[in-house]
């Protein structure tokens, strides 16, 4: 059976501003159910790589396909449909602080076209169960620990059954033990066929939870296999 190719970048150039090239001649392939770490120093292009995949910053050259969309030809009105196939997890959680965890999740579902209150309730229960937070939905973000907030953020990323989760330094604000739990959760999610790209500069995590590694360095993207140095 042929593997489903979800991300295919070939010799792309990624720019932060018009002239500021972050990565050049970068190539990356990501298949269904694959877990990839993107490592590198701060400012090496890890976050820019993820942002380019969900059309936050442009890809200038080469060829780039994500979840069936050609990123060099994608129209503005198509971008929300691409993003529904992606789940994004941020270092700082980005939860709406004025509403409960359930209301955070409900907001996303309604914004992406869900109408049935029963379907919304059922889906929220499913994702909270998936991130081991079935009884915390009523809590406000400030009532949750950092690790719990990140679990809610991961639940939010899962709502629309994404093909890919892009996790940008998801453990950056967490202690080592909690970080390990969050990375284990992401690896568990991968078992269901969701591909995951996670940026990190924490090599301890990469060694503890091995997966394929790509490295951003000197404006290039290197495929390290499962070895890091």
């Amino acid at each position: 059976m042929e593997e489903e190719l979800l991300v295919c970048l070939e010799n792309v150039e990624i720019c932060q501003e018009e002239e500021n090239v972050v990565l050049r001649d970068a190539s990356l392939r990501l298949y269904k159910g694959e877990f990839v770490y993107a490592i590198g120093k701060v400012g090496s292009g890890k976050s820019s790589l993820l942002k380019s995949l969900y059309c936050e910053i442009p890809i200038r050259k080469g060829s780039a396909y994500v979840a069936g969309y050609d990123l060099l030809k994608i129209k503005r009105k198509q971008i929300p449909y691409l993003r529904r196939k992606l789940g994004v997890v941020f270092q700082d959680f980005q939860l709406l602080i004025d509403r409960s965890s359930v209301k955070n999740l409900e907001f996303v579902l309604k914004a992406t076209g869900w109408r049935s209150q029963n379907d919304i309730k059922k889906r929220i229960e499913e994702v909270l169960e998936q991130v081991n937070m079935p009884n915390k939905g009523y809590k406000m973000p400030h009532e949750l620990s950092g690790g719990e907030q990140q679990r809610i953020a991961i639940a939010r990323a899962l709502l629309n059954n994404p093909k890919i989760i892009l996790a940008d330094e998801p453990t950056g604000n967490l202690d080592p033990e909690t970080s390990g739990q969050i990375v284990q959760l992401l690896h568990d999610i991968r078992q269901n066929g969701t591909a995951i790209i996670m940026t990190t500069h924490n090599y301890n995590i990469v060694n503890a939870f091995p997966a394929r590694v790509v490295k951003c360095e000197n404006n290039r993207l290197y495929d390290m296999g499962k070895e890091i140095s």
Side-chain angles (χ1 to χ4, degrees):
M1 189 174 72
E2 195 170 320
E3 292 180 286
E4 185 181 355
L5 182 61
L6 297 176
V7 174
C8 184
L9 306 183
E10 299 283 352
N11 306 116
V12 300
E13 186 173 281
I14 298 170
C15 302
Q16 272 285 22
E17 287 93 27
E18 282 296 324
E19 301 302 320
N20 181 13
V21 178
V22 184
L23 291 171
R24 57 167 53 90
D25 286 330
S27 297
L28 175 68
R29 287 177 171 238
L30 179 75
Y31 291 90
K32 179 179 179 179
E34 191 175 16
F35 196 113
V36 174
Y37 293 108
I39 63 170
K41 294 176 182 172
V42 173
S44 62
K46 304 186 302 293
S47 293
S48 296
L49 173 64
L50 295 197
K51 287 177 178 176
S52 73
L53 298 180
Y54 60 88
C55 297
E56 187 74 22
I57 60 176
I59 289 176
R60 298 286 185 207
K61 295 178 183 171
S63 73
Y65 291 87
V66 176
Y69 288 88
D70 182 343
L71 298 196
L72 276 80
K73 295 180 179 175
I74 194 168
K75 295 179 169 60
R76 185 177 291 273
K77 65 183 180 186
Q78 293 176 305
I79 291 175
Y81 296 98
L82 164 66
R83 289 179 178 170
R84 284 182 205 179
K85 296 187 176 186
L86 310 174
V88 185
V89 179
F90 301 96
Q91 178 175 339
D92 56 359
F93 320 134
Q94 296 199 7
L95 298 172
L96 301 168
I97 60 171
D98 63 343
R99 63 197 73 189
S100 69
S101 299
V102 162
K103 291 294 183 185
N104 264 274
L105 301 177
E106 187 180 276
F107 176 82
V108 172
L109 288 175
K110 288 183 172 176
T112 52
W114 290 60
R115 295 285 173 262
S116 162
Q117 203 58 47
N118 280 342
D119 290 348
I120 288 171
K121 182 172 181 288
K122 182 167 180 284
R123 185 61 189 142
I124 289 172
E125 287 172 355
E126 287 169 355
V127 294
L128 287 176
E129 189 71 44
Q130 201 170 347
V131 300
N132 301 316
M133 293 280 285
N135 303 315
K136 299 287 181 79
Y138 67 92
K139 290 201 169 189
M140 302 290 280
H142 69 84
E143 297 177 305
L144 300 171
S145 69
E148 288 172 334
Q149 288 187 63
Q150 193 59 291
R151 285 176 184 272
I152 297 298
I154 292 170
R156 179 183 58 197
L158 288 168
L159 283 169
N160 283 304
N161 288 304
K163 288 178 172 286
I164 308 164
I165 285 182
L166 306 173
D168 195 5
E169 295 279 0
T171 63
N173 290 331
L174 305 175
D175 63 77
E177 184 180 350
T178 307
S179 295
Q181 292 167 358
I182 291 298
V183 178
Q184 181 63 61
L185 173 60
L186 291 170
H187 276 268
D188 292 344
I189 289 166
R190 177 190 75 82
Q191 301 289 345
N192 297 324
T194 306
I196 295 175
I197 304 179
M198 173 181 157
T199 67
T200 186
H201 54 257
N202 185 337
Y203 286 9
N204 291 332
I205 282 175
V206 181
N207 287 321
F209 301 91
R212 187 171 140 228
V213 177
V214 296
K215 187 174 188 179
C216 298
E217 190 173 54
N218 301 323
N219 303 113
R220 302 283 180 172
L221 185 65
Y222 300 97
D223 198 325
M224 315 292 287
K226 292 199 174 182
E227 301 295 319
I228 63 168
S229 57

